Amino acid sequence: MTIRALIVDDEPVARRGILRLLRQEPDIEVVAECGDGEAAISAISALSPDLVFLDVQMPERDGFTVIEAIGGKRMPAVVFVTAFDQHAVRAFDAQALDYVLKPIDPERFRRALQRARSHLAQPDDGFVRRVSEALKSIDRGELPRYPLRLAIRSEGRVRLLDIDEVDRIVAAGNYVEIHTGTKQHLLRETMASLESRLDPQRFIRVSRAAIVSIAQIREVQPLFNGDFVVLLKNGAQVNGSRRYRAALDVLLG
């Protein structure tokens, strides 16, 4: 049996790594690679692969929204490829066939592939049921909506950063700078995408280029024309724009 596989990951390096491992498997045919969730949805609908290696964290549409868009009954078998965070793993526990952590360990990858082979040879009806139940759980808000840690990838390593450590986030081109006191970490994600993933009870956007931790706000000082500056407990200052002032006023009462 030839298994038709789709690779979905926004990082070209990660896609190449998975492709290189799959090329060593004679029974695997990679039908396409996708760099984002929208392309993945189109490819799954058009190509009907047997197996999808699906990244969890991607800009705009993450791996879970891809599954949600396709639907539990139509979704092929999924092996999540993730840098691990509590949200991803707990959600996986309910629905995924398997998952592989980044950076990928080849032996662990082969075990996941073997599990996929077994599943496809003898389809498990429970998989579809688990996917459907997981999607219903997400709709009911039973799974945690916001990450407790952020996966910071650098030089082939992944560092898990507790969200409690973050005091501010600043835009930096195609990246964002995650500030934790005197340290800063680069994360390849847009401000809008990251803002949508953060708990609004804990973080607030104060300008197009900055998000601050509400718990770290010490003082807000007005500037001209409705703009303002946020002083954090660690002494950092973040400029805010009047466009975002109303939300901050509501928060501060």
PDB file of all heavy atoms in Angstrom, residues 3-4 20 34 37 40 43 50 70 92 117 128 139-140 154 164 180 182 186-188 217 222 251:
ATOM      1  N   ILE A   3       1.165   5.106   0.767  1.00  0.00           N
ATOM      2  CA  ILE A   3       0.519   6.125   1.592  1.00  0.00           C
ATOM      3  C   ILE A   3       0.810   7.486   0.974  1.00  0.00           C
ATOM      4  O   ILE A   3       1.966   7.872   0.813  1.00  0.00           O
ATOM      5  CB  ILE A   3       1.028   6.066   3.037  1.00  0.00           C
ATOM      6  CG1 ILE A   3       0.663   4.722   3.659  1.00  0.00           C
ATOM      7  CG2 ILE A   3       0.455   7.219   3.860  1.00  0.00           C
ATOM      8  CD1 ILE A   3       1.243   4.517   5.047  1.00  0.00           C
ATOM      9  N   ARG A   4      -0.242   8.206   0.633  1.00  0.00           N
ATOM     10  CA  ARG A   4      -0.104   9.535   0.037  1.00  0.00           C
ATOM     11  C   ARG A   4      -0.093  10.566   1.172  1.00  0.00           C
ATOM     12  O   ARG A   4      -1.069  10.703   1.906  1.00  0.00           O
ATOM     13  CB  ARG A   4      -1.230   9.791  -0.943  1.00  0.00           C
ATOM     14  CG  ARG A   4      -1.281   8.742  -2.057  1.00  0.00           C
ATOM     15  CD  ARG A   4      -2.525   8.869  -2.914  1.00  0.00           C
ATOM     16  NE  ARG A   4      -2.492  10.072  -3.736  1.00  0.00           N
ATOM     17  CZ  ARG A   4      -3.258  11.131  -3.522  1.00  0.00           C
ATOM     18  NH1 ARG A   4      -4.101  11.143  -2.511  1.00  0.00           N
ATOM     19  NH2 ARG A   4      -3.168  12.182  -4.315  1.00  0.00           N
ATOM     20  N   ARG A  20      12.816  14.928   3.778  1.00  0.00           N
ATOM     21  CA  ARG A  20      14.015  14.099   3.724  1.00  0.00           C
ATOM     22  C   ARG A  20      13.777  12.761   4.435  1.00  0.00           C
ATOM     23  O   ARG A  20      14.190  11.698   3.948  1.00  0.00           O
ATOM     24  CB  ARG A  20      15.176  14.835   4.380  1.00  0.00           C
ATOM     25  CG  ARG A  20      16.500  14.082   4.299  1.00  0.00           C
ATOM     26  CD  ARG A  20      17.664  14.955   4.707  1.00  0.00           C
ATOM     27  NE  ARG A  20      17.528  15.457   6.072  1.00  0.00           N
ATOM     28  CZ  ARG A  20      17.260  16.715   6.379  1.00  0.00           C
ATOM     29  NH1 ARG A  20      17.111  17.617   5.438  1.00  0.00           N
ATOM     30  NH2 ARG A  20      17.144  17.096   7.629  1.00  0.00           N
ATOM     31  N   CYS A  34       2.724  22.308   1.952  1.00  0.00           N
ATOM     32  CA  CYS A  34       1.992  23.559   2.144  1.00  0.00           C
ATOM     33  C   CYS A  34       2.669  24.381   3.232  1.00  0.00           C
ATOM     34  O   CYS A  34       3.121  23.839   4.242  1.00  0.00           O
ATOM     35  CB  CYS A  34       0.542  23.288   2.559  1.00  0.00           C
ATOM     36  SG  CYS A  34      -0.403  22.357   1.338  1.00  0.00           S
ATOM     37  N   GLY A  37      -2.010  27.361   6.641  1.00  0.00           N
ATOM     38  CA  GLY A  37      -3.248  26.623   6.855  1.00  0.00           C
ATOM     39  C   GLY A  37      -4.211  26.696   5.684  1.00  0.00           C
ATOM     40  O   GLY A  37      -4.880  25.703   5.352  1.00  0.00           O
ATOM     41  N   ALA A  40      -3.178  24.379   3.085  1.00  0.00           N
ATOM     42  CA  ALA A  40      -3.403  23.004   3.537  1.00  0.00           C
ATOM     43  C   ALA A  40      -4.853  22.587   3.318  1.00  0.00           C
ATOM     44  O   ALA A  40      -5.128  21.462   2.871  1.00  0.00           O
ATOM     45  CB  ALA A  40      -3.032  22.889   5.014  1.00  0.00           C
ATOM     46  N   ALA A  43      -5.336  21.917  -0.330  1.00  0.00           N
ATOM     47  CA  ALA A  43      -4.643  20.704  -0.768  1.00  0.00           C
ATOM     48  C   ALA A  43      -5.355  19.442  -0.272  1.00  0.00           C
ATOM     49  O   ALA A  43      -5.480  18.460  -1.007  1.00  0.00           O
ATOM     50  CB  ALA A  43      -3.199  20.728  -0.275  1.00  0.00           C
ATOM     51  N   ASP A  50      -3.770  10.499   2.334  1.00  0.00           N
ATOM     52  CA  ASP A  50      -4.077   9.540   3.400  1.00  0.00           C
ATOM     53  C   ASP A  50      -3.597  10.041   4.753  1.00  0.00           C
ATOM     54  O   ASP A  50      -4.161   9.690   5.790  1.00  0.00           O
ATOM     55  CB  ASP A  50      -3.378   8.206   3.106  1.00  0.00           C
ATOM     56  CG  ASP A  50      -3.771   7.643   1.764  1.00  0.00           C
ATOM     57  OD1 ASP A  50      -4.991   7.504   1.513  1.00  0.00           O
ATOM     58  OD2 ASP A  50      -2.861   7.358   0.958  1.00  0.00           O
ATOM     59  N   ILE A  70     -11.804  21.377   7.694  1.00  0.00           N
ATOM     60  CA  ILE A  70     -12.048  20.171   6.898  1.00  0.00           C
ATOM     61  C   ILE A  70     -13.187  19.345   7.495  1.00  0.00           C
ATOM     62  O   ILE A  70     -14.030  18.810   6.786  1.00  0.00           O
ATOM     63  CB  ILE A  70     -10.763  19.319   6.808  1.00  0.00           C
ATOM     64  CG1 ILE A  70      -9.659  20.084   6.064  1.00  0.00           C
ATOM     65  CG2 ILE A  70     -11.054  17.994   6.114  1.00  0.00           C
ATOM     66  CD1 ILE A  70      -9.968  20.384   4.616  1.00  0.00           C
ATOM     67  N   PHE A  92      -3.993  17.638  21.377  1.00  0.00           N
ATOM     68  CA  PHE A  92      -3.579  16.423  20.666  1.00  0.00           C
ATOM     69  C   PHE A  92      -4.093  15.176  21.381  1.00  0.00           C
ATOM     70  O   PHE A  92      -4.530  14.216  20.754  1.00  0.00           O
ATOM     71  CB  PHE A  92      -2.058  16.350  20.570  1.00  0.00           C
ATOM     72  CG  PHE A  92      -1.574  14.929  20.427  1.00  0.00           C
ATOM     73  CD1 PHE A  92      -1.708  14.261  19.230  1.00  0.00           C
ATOM     74  CD2 PHE A  92      -1.041  14.256  21.511  1.00  0.00           C
ATOM     75  CE1 PHE A  92      -1.294  12.949  19.108  1.00  0.00           C
ATOM     76  CE2 PHE A  92      -0.630  12.954  21.396  1.00  0.00           C
ATOM     77  CZ  PHE A  92      -0.755  12.299  20.199  1.00  0.00           C
ATOM     78  N   ARG A 117       0.931   3.848   9.685  1.00  0.00           N
ATOM     79  CA  ARG A 117       0.748   2.683   8.794  1.00  0.00           C
ATOM     80  C   ARG A 117      -0.276   1.714   9.385  1.00  0.00           C
ATOM     81  O   ARG A 117      -1.165   1.216   8.688  1.00  0.00           O
ATOM     82  CB  ARG A 117       2.080   1.965   8.595  1.00  0.00           C
ATOM     83  CG  ARG A 117       3.080   2.689   7.713  1.00  0.00           C
ATOM     84  CD  ARG A 117       4.254   1.763   7.421  1.00  0.00           C
ATOM     85  NE  ARG A 117       5.243   2.395   6.545  1.00  0.00           N
ATOM     86  CZ  ARG A 117       6.393   2.921   6.984  1.00  0.00           C
ATOM     87  NH1 ARG A 117       6.691   2.885   8.279  1.00  0.00           N
ATOM     88  NH2 ARG A 117       7.236   3.475   6.130  1.00  0.00           N
ATOM     89  N   VAL A 128     -12.076   8.970  14.148  1.00  0.00           N
ATOM     90  CA  VAL A 128     -13.035   9.969  13.680  1.00  0.00           C
ATOM     91  C   VAL A 128     -13.875  10.476  14.842  1.00  0.00           C
ATOM     92  O   VAL A 128     -14.138  11.674  14.978  1.00  0.00           O
ATOM     93  CB  VAL A 128     -13.937   9.371  12.582  1.00  0.00           C
ATOM     94  CG1 VAL A 128     -15.036  10.355  12.204  1.00  0.00           C
ATOM     95  CG2 VAL A 128     -13.109   9.026  11.361  1.00  0.00           C
ATOM     96  N   ASP A 139     -15.327  23.925  20.680  1.00  0.00           N
ATOM     97  CA  ASP A 139     -16.456  24.846  20.548  1.00  0.00           C
ATOM     98  C   ASP A 139     -17.025  25.222  21.903  1.00  0.00           C
ATOM     99  O   ASP A 139     -17.478  26.339  22.112  1.00  0.00           O
ATOM    100  CB  ASP A 139     -17.551  24.198  19.687  1.00  0.00           C
ATOM    101  CG  ASP A 139     -17.123  24.084  18.235  1.00  0.00           C
ATOM    102  OD1 ASP A 139     -16.190  24.816  17.843  1.00  0.00           O
ATOM    103  OD2 ASP A 139     -17.726  23.267  17.525  1.00  0.00           O
ATOM    104  N   ARG A 140     -17.007  24.268  22.847  1.00  0.00           N
ATOM    105  CA  ARG A 140     -17.555  24.550  24.179  1.00  0.00           C
ATOM    106  C   ARG A 140     -16.541  25.240  25.066  1.00  0.00           C
ATOM    107  O   ARG A 140     -16.834  25.568  26.213  1.00  0.00           O
ATOM    108  CB  ARG A 140     -17.994  23.237  24.843  1.00  0.00           C
ATOM    109  CG  ARG A 140     -19.196  22.571  24.206  1.00  0.00           C
ATOM    110  CD  ARG A 140     -19.772  21.514  25.131  1.00  0.00           C
ATOM    111  NE  ARG A 140     -18.824  20.462  25.399  1.00  0.00           N
ATOM    112  CZ  ARG A 140     -18.747  19.329  24.712  1.00  0.00           C
ATOM    113  NH1 ARG A 140     -19.565  19.130  23.701  1.00  0.00           N
ATOM    114  NH2 ARG A 140     -17.867  18.406  25.021  1.00  0.00           N
ATOM    115  N   SER A 154      15.386  28.699  18.020  1.00  0.00           N
ATOM    116  CA  SER A 154      16.617  29.417  17.670  1.00  0.00           C
ATOM    117  C   SER A 154      17.764  28.432  17.548  1.00  0.00           C
ATOM    118  O   SER A 154      17.967  27.590  18.441  1.00  0.00           O
ATOM    119  CB  SER A 154      16.935  30.461  18.758  1.00  0.00           C
ATOM    120  OG  SER A 154      18.160  31.103  18.478  1.00  0.00           O
ATOM    121  N   ASP A 164       4.040  33.775  31.900  1.00  0.00           N
ATOM    122  CA  ASP A 164       4.132  34.665  33.065  1.00  0.00           C
ATOM    123  C   ASP A 164       5.398  35.523  33.030  1.00  0.00           C
ATOM    124  O   ASP A 164       5.457  36.562  33.687  1.00  0.00           O
ATOM    125  CB  ASP A 164       4.118  33.846  34.362  1.00  0.00           C
ATOM    126  CG  ASP A 164       2.772  33.197  34.608  1.00  0.00           C
ATOM    127  OD1 ASP A 164       1.777  33.708  34.057  1.00  0.00           O
ATOM    128  OD2 ASP A 164       2.714  32.203  35.354  1.00  0.00           O
ATOM    129  N   THR A 180      11.383  39.568  28.308  1.00  0.00           N
ATOM    130  CA  THR A 180      11.244  39.029  29.664  1.00  0.00           C
ATOM    131  C   THR A 180      12.313  39.710  30.520  1.00  0.00           C
ATOM    132  O   THR A 180      13.422  39.220  30.641  1.00  0.00           O
ATOM    133  CB  THR A 180      11.437  37.507  29.683  1.00  0.00           C
ATOM    134  OG1 THR A 180      12.721  37.202  29.117  1.00  0.00           O
ATOM    135  CG2 THR A 180      10.366  36.808  28.866  1.00  0.00           C
ATOM    136  N   THR A 182      15.265  41.810  31.237  1.00  0.00           N
ATOM    137  CA  THR A 182      16.383  42.306  30.434  1.00  0.00           C
ATOM    138  C   THR A 182      16.653  41.452  29.201  1.00  0.00           C
ATOM    139  O   THR A 182      17.507  41.795  28.390  1.00  0.00           O
ATOM    140  CB  THR A 182      17.661  42.362  31.285  1.00  0.00           C
ATOM    141  OG1 THR A 182      17.947  41.041  31.777  1.00  0.00           O
ATOM    142  CG2 THR A 182      17.495  43.329  32.454  1.00  0.00           C
ATOM    143  N   LEU A 186      13.269  36.259  19.868  1.00  0.00           N
ATOM    144  CA  LEU A 186      12.601  36.468  18.595  1.00  0.00           C
ATOM    145  C   LEU A 186      11.662  35.304  18.295  1.00  0.00           C
ATOM    146  O   LEU A 186      12.018  34.134  18.460  1.00  0.00           O
ATOM    147  CB  LEU A 186      13.624  36.598  17.464  1.00  0.00           C
ATOM    148  CG  LEU A 186      14.307  37.964  17.298  1.00  0.00           C
ATOM    149  CD1 LEU A 186      15.319  37.901  16.172  1.00  0.00           C
ATOM    150  CD2 LEU A 186      13.280  39.063  17.044  1.00  0.00           C
ATOM    151  N   LEU A 187      10.474  35.653  17.854  1.00  0.00           N
ATOM    152  CA  LEU A 187       9.486  34.645  17.481  1.00  0.00           C
ATOM    153  C   LEU A 187       8.965  35.007  16.094  1.00  0.00           C
ATOM    154  O   LEU A 187       8.538  36.139  15.861  1.00  0.00           O
ATOM    155  CB  LEU A 187       8.332  34.624  18.488  1.00  0.00           C
ATOM    156  CG  LEU A 187       7.159  33.687  18.191  1.00  0.00           C
ATOM    157  CD1 LEU A 187       7.623  32.228  18.225  1.00  0.00           C
ATOM    158  CD2 LEU A 187       6.042  33.903  19.196  1.00  0.00           C
ATOM    159  N   ARG A 188       8.991  34.062  15.168  1.00  0.00           N
ATOM    160  CA  ARG A 188       8.522  34.330  13.812  1.00  0.00           C
ATOM    161  C   ARG A 188       6.998  34.238  13.777  1.00  0.00           C
ATOM    162  O   ARG A 188       6.428  33.165  13.604  1.00  0.00           O
ATOM    163  CB  ARG A 188       9.142  33.337  12.827  1.00  0.00           C
ATOM    164  CG  ARG A 188       8.821  33.643  11.376  1.00  0.00           C
ATOM    165  CD  ARG A 188       9.607  32.739  10.441  1.00  0.00           C
ATOM    166  NE  ARG A 188       9.300  33.030   9.056  1.00  0.00           N
ATOM    167  CZ  ARG A 188       8.324  32.448   8.384  1.00  0.00           C
ATOM    168  NH1 ARG A 188       7.587  31.528   8.957  1.00  0.00           N
ATOM    169  NH2 ARG A 188       8.094  32.765   7.113  1.00  0.00           N
ATOM    170  N   ILE A 217       1.950  46.450  34.266  1.00  0.00           N
ATOM    171  CA  ILE A 217       1.752  47.897  34.125  1.00  0.00           C
ATOM    172  C   ILE A 217       1.842  48.565  35.502  1.00  0.00           C
ATOM    173  O   ILE A 217       1.128  48.196  36.439  1.00  0.00           O
ATOM    174  CB  ILE A 217       0.383  48.206  33.480  1.00  0.00           C
ATOM    175  CG1 ILE A 217       0.343  47.654  32.051  1.00  0.00           C
ATOM    176  CG2 ILE A 217       0.140  49.721  33.470  1.00  0.00           C
ATOM    177  CD1 ILE A 217      -1.007  47.840  31.369  1.00  0.00           C
ATOM    178  N   PRO A 222      -0.018  60.401  30.106  1.00  0.00           N
ATOM    179  CA  PRO A 222      -0.498  60.954  28.830  1.00  0.00           C
ATOM    180  C   PRO A 222       0.604  61.682  28.083  1.00  0.00           C
ATOM    181  O   PRO A 222       1.512  62.260  28.678  1.00  0.00           O
ATOM    182  CB  PRO A 222      -1.595  61.922  29.284  1.00  0.00           C
ATOM    183  CG  PRO A 222      -1.190  62.334  30.663  1.00  0.00           C
ATOM    184  CD  PRO A 222      -0.521  61.130  31.277  1.00  0.00           C
ATOM    185  N   LEU A 251      -9.892  49.029  30.748  1.00  0.00           N
ATOM    186  CA  LEU A 251      -9.189  48.072  31.601  1.00  0.00           C
ATOM    187  C   LEU A 251      -8.826  48.685  32.947  1.00  0.00           C
ATOM    188  O   LEU A 251      -8.994  48.058  34.003  1.00  0.00           O
ATOM    189  CB  LEU A 251      -7.922  47.603  30.881  1.00  0.00           C
ATOM    190  CG  LEU A 251      -6.974  46.740  31.706  1.00  0.00           C
ATOM    191  CD1 LEU A 251      -7.595  45.371  31.934  1.00  0.00           C
ATOM    192  CD2 LEU A 251      -5.635  46.618  31.016  1.00  0.00           C
TER     193      LEU A 251
END
